[in-house]
Amino acid sequence: MSNAYIDQFPAEAKVVKALFYSSFVALALGGVFGIIQTLHRTDIYRFIDSANYYSVLTAHGVFMVITFTIFFLVGVFTWAVTTSLDREVEDIRFTWAWVALMSIGTVMAAVPILAGLTDSIDMSAAVLFTFYAPLQGHPLFYLGLVLFVVGTWVAGADWFRSWWAWKKENPDARIPLPTFMVLTTMIMWYIATMGVATSILVFLLPWSLGWIETVNPLLTRTLFWFFGHPVVYFWLMPAYMMWYVMLPKFSGGKLFSDPLARVGFVLFLLLSTPVGIHHQYLDPGISEGFKFIAMTNTMFLLLPSLLTAFTVVASMEHGARQRGGTGYFGWLKALPWRDPVFAGMALAGLLFAAAGFSGMVNAGMNINYLVHNSLWVVGHFHLTVGTAVALTFMAVSYWFIPQVTGKELWNRSVALVQVVLWFIGMTFMTNSMHRAGLIGMPRRTAEPQYEGFEFETAVGSVGELDAQIALGGVLLTLSLVLFFANIIGTAFGSRSDTLPDNGYAEALSGSDDAPRVLDNLKLWTAIAIVLVIFAYSLPLLSIVDRGGLFGPDIPPLPVSLESVTFLAFAVEHVATVALESAGNFAQTALSGVIN
Ligand code: HAS
Ligand code: CU
């Protein structure tokens, strides 16, 4: 008899399995739209009308980065909380309720997106995954999004319930690391989704229903990006969780440092939201000073990822040395490269290092002017969410699916080929996308060449870039086919009793070495909210002051620029004092960690 997740938590395993399968359906749909648009844009094979390109792009974006990622990660979080607290969910009906909310919301949002592809149904939501004004979608799309987001809020409540119940029974114990990661991520998510909830409920939904005539597009953009940056960490933090708590185990060792992992997640909670304006460096109507603050915060936000790179690679090295690896770099050979779970996650990490560099370029206000709205950005996010997150999720599925179904993985060699194909495909596609962006090739258009216009390239040619992008896209599609073959093969296999035990990596330096203050979630939440208020109150006030709450024809809020200037002065003063004390505080906390 094995001790897999399904044996320990049969009821929860069903939920997690349902969430994973739903996420895979979205991945399949997203993949189909992905290859359609790759071949269309590069003018290699076209069968859709260019006028439908935005519907295809919306479907690709929404199914991939909202449905696939989030359904998968809520499954991982359910596994993480139950496993690390060693406790069933408080009420399984409550758990199924949020699964239902998320699923109904998804279907509601998907209907108008897909309907946009046919003329026979008068409905569309070709608003892209960034859905801000002036693009407008059918009300069903916004309503679906609302239900979906509410579903994730209820999911978070479910995990907090478990933790509170556990804490009653274990008043002095440290929060187990996976649960700590779930809770910090969810607090970040609650804060971040306030932006998108306001944008949809107050502006976009009433506007699409015809209840209000106009909106202030810059306001909906800013509220979107208030959420649109932290959402990328909502995808990334579960992948990081897998790198921290699973990858060391697959490498044959232990997590290098639990306290460092906690510091990383606390930093994400604090800094993920007050940076969203780095997506708006080119927006007129937001003053340079606010953009500069967003840039500074973004540069600080590199820190938790750099800490992660260090900790995760150190853990891998520890694993490799346990397996007999030696030398400065020779240990790399001792890693289990033939294991698809390990190889997929490590390759995802490798490409994420490149993604971090393109992110730093994006984040620099002046260099951003060169790459904004170009294919460079598309290259960037296919390395981040499309590889660091998606490849990690696919690779770790080869461990999870047996755990939640009780069945042996159908074919390990196919799995290995699949993850390597993803790595190669993404390397071709994103490298050429970055290059194309540098010569000014725009994103979000079916006709990047325009009429009678040729881009000049430093090396190679536009045709060569397009060919590489298309080749990458085809390899990725093949990789997806292999992935689904394996999942379906596994689902139809028979029950096995020789599965590995459920569990996650132990730490070399454990939670006892972490200062207690790291577990003080109330403190971090309070600081996170204060930082968001600092970063956003003045920009939002001045956007409303200039453009009107509901657009130009409606009188603005009674905020005058003098009061904004006065507030700016006051905030600057308070911020300086707060930053100084935060610095001292961080120093104390860090010296605690280091000792
Ligand atoms: Fe980004 C645009 C800046 C990270 C996603 N980003 C986007 C968009 C998306 C996206 C989807 O400042 C486009 C949105 C749209 O449609 O317009 N991004 C950053 C920065 C980071 C960053 C500074 N982005 C992400 C992540 C994403 C994501 C993560 C998804 C999951 N991004 C920007 C900016 C823009 C932007 C601007 C706007 C551009 C514009 O003009 O429109 C940082 O968080 C990156 C930090 C990462 C590192 C790398 C650390 C390395 C690690 C690897 C360890 C290695 C291992 C393997 C484990 C510093 C952790 C070792 C293996 C062995 C074999 C040893
Ligand atoms: Cu961002």
Side-chain angles (χ1 to χ4, degrees), residues 65 129-130 132 225 228-229 231-233 235-236 240 243 247 268 278-282 298 301-302 305-306 308-310 312-313 316 331-332 335 337 342 345-350 352-364 368 371-373 377 380-381 384-386 388-389 443-444:
V65 304
F129 97 98
T130 45
Y132 39 65
W225 287 120
H229 183 78
V231 73
V232 313
Y233 293 108
W235 310 323
L236 182 72
Y240 271 10
W243 296 0
L247 191 56
F268 278 127
H278 70 215
H279 292 264
Q280 299 180 280
Y281 288 143
L282 268 137
T298 307
L301 184 53
L302 294 174
S305 285
L306 296 170
T308 301
F310 170 77
V312 172
V313 176
M316 286 166 72
W331 57 268
L332 281 165
L335 288 168
W337 289 106
F342 168 83
M345 289 168 81
L347 294 175
L350 215 55
F352 190 59
F357 286 115
S358 72
M360 289 174 209
V361 169
N362 295 342
N368 181 272
V371 297
H372 184 66
N373 270 349
V377 176
H380 163 71
F381 66 71
T384 53
V385 62
V389 176
R443 63 182 285 204
R444 291 178 164 150

Side-chain angles (χ1 to χ4, degrees), residues 214-527:
T214 54
V215 293
N216 176 344
L218 183 59
L219 184 57
T220 66
R221 278 173 73 89
T222 308
L223 289 171
F224 178 84
W225 287 120
F226 178 105
F227 148 90
H229 183 78
V231 73
V232 313
Y233 293 108
F234 193 50
W235 310 323
L236 182 72
M237 288 158 80
Y240 271 10
M241 176 203 269
M242 293 294 100
W243 296 0
Y244 277 112
V245 308
M246 300 305 278
L247 191 56
K249 173 173 129 136
F250 301 129
S251 312
K254 292 183 177 177
L255 168 61
F256 183 70
S257 164
D258 163 309
L260 270 183
R262 282 178 209 250
V263 169
F265 273 66
V266 167
L267 286 172
F268 278 127
L269 163 58
L270 298 186
L271 291 170
S272 290
T273 315
V275 299
I277 291 178
H278 70 215
H279 292 264
Q280 299 180 280
Y281 288 143
L282 268 137
D283 281 19
I286 300 180
S287 72
E288 300 288 289
F290 298 141
K291 293 176 180 170
F292 186 82
I293 293 175
M295 172 170 81
T296 315
N297 289 348
T298 307
M299 296 303 173
F300 278 115
L301 184 53
L302 294 174
L303 195 67
S305 285
L306 296 170
L307 279 180
T308 301
F310 170 77
T311 316
V312 172
V313 176
S315 312
M316 286 166 72
E317 181 179 348
H318 174 255
R321 295 199 189 279
Q322 297 304 107
R323 298 165 58 92
T326 52
Y328 279 128
F329 293 107
W331 57 268
L332 281 165
K333 286 187 301 214
L335 288 168
W337 289 106
R338 284 179 185 281
D339 171 9
V341 185
F342 168 83
M345 289 168 81
L347 294 175
L350 215 55
L351 283 188
F352 190 59
F357 286 115
S358 72
M360 289 174 209
V361 169
N362 295 342
M365 233 166 109
N366 46 354
I367 326 181
N368 181 272
Y369 299 162
L370 180 69
V371 297
H372 184 66
N373 270 349
S374 79
L375 218 50
W376 167 285
V377 176
V378 187
H380 163 71
F381 66 71
H382 280 86
L383 284 178
T384 53
V385 62
T387 306
V389 176
L391 182 54
T392 297
F393 285 0
M394 287 189 278
V396 85
S397 296
Y398 295 134
W399 183 82
F400 268 121
I401 294 296
Q403 289 290 316
V404 295
T405 56
K407 295 167 180 176
E408 208 80 58
L409 186 67
W410 174 64
N411 191 315
R412 294 183 76 78
S413 315
V414 170
L416 187 60
V417 174
Q418 186 266 316
V419 297
V420 173
L421 264 184
W422 194 269
F423 176 81
I424 300 173
M426 272 303 178
T427 306
F428 274 114
M429 192 174 91
T430 58
N431 181 48
S432 42
M433 281 176 163
H434 279 97
R435 282 177 54 209
L438 286 180
I439 59 166
M441 201 184 276
R443 63 182 285 204
R444 291 178 164 150
T445 168
E447 307 294 344
Q449 284 297 112
Y450 300 119
E451 202 69 47
F453 183 86
E454 261 296 325
F455 292 100
E456 286 193 21
T457 53
V459 274
S461 67
V462 168
E464 167 257 336
L465 290 174
D466 277 346
Q468 286 202 44
I469 293 174
L471 170 65
V474 170
L475 293 179
L476 292 169
T477 309
L478 278 177
S479 173
L480 277 184
V481 170
L482 296 184
F483 178 72
F484 295 121
N486 227 335
I487 298 300
I488 294 169
T490 309
F492 285 101
S494 47
R495 192 66 216 252
S496 144
D497 346 285
T498 51
L499 291 173
D501 290 349
N502 181 30
Y504 54 94
E506 289 171 40
L508 278 174
S509 164
S511 56
D512 292 341
D513 298 334
R516 284 233 159 224
V517 64
L518 285 174
D519 288 11
N520 189 341
L521 297 180
K522 284 192 188 126
L523 173 69
W524 305 124
T525 309
I527 301 180

